[in-house]
Amino acid sequence: MLKIFKVTAILEGISYLVLFANMLFIKTNNPELYHTLLQPLGMSHGILFIGYILLAFLLRKSQKWDLKTFGIILIASLIPFGTFYVEKKYLENNA
């Protein structure tokens, strides 16, 4: 399950950045394309975000994360590049 969490963390981070890129670059240059991409990008990011949070809760006991580490892992899902940090610092040597 840890490998699934690692993949989910990376995909969630990528989807977050793609969603930001859609908002910052495509919206200003091509509003029609922005609206076309917004629903599928937002939906995929939402599913990956929920999966990331659920997997973090499921893995907390087996990975023996203390409250501080678990909090960092959860907050990282809200910060751009945060899930990449979590994957590198907390998950790289475990799977």
Side-chain angles (χ1 to χ4, degrees), residues 14-53:
I14 292 170
S15 72
Y16 197 23
L17 295 176
V18 169
L19 201 56
F20 269 127
N22 185 45
M23 179 182 68
L24 294 173
F25 304 117
I26 296 176
K27 183 177 183 180
T28 57
N29 298 327
N30 192 346
E32 293 171 14
L33 180 60
Y34 164 76
H35 288 294
T36 303
L37 293 175
L38 185 61
Q39 202 274 334
L41 289 176
M43 181 65 74
S44 61
H45 172 69
I47 290 169
L48 288 166
F49 176 78
I50 291 169
Y52 178 89
I53 298 297

Side-chain angles (χ1 to χ4, degrees), residues 1-2 4 6 8 10 14 17 22 27 32 39-40 43 49 60-61 68 70 73-76 81 83 86 92 94:
M1 187 150 43
L2 190 59
I4 294 171
K6 285 179 69 166
T8 304
I10 292 169
I14 292 170
L17 295 176
N22 185 45
K27 183 177 183 180
E32 293 171 14
Q39 202 274 334
M43 181 65 74
F49 176 78
R60 182 178 180 203
K61 280 197 176 193
K68 180 184 175 188
F70 185 61
I73 289 170
L74 292 180
I75 290 172
F81 300 103
T83 57
V86 165
E92 186 175 71
N94 295 337

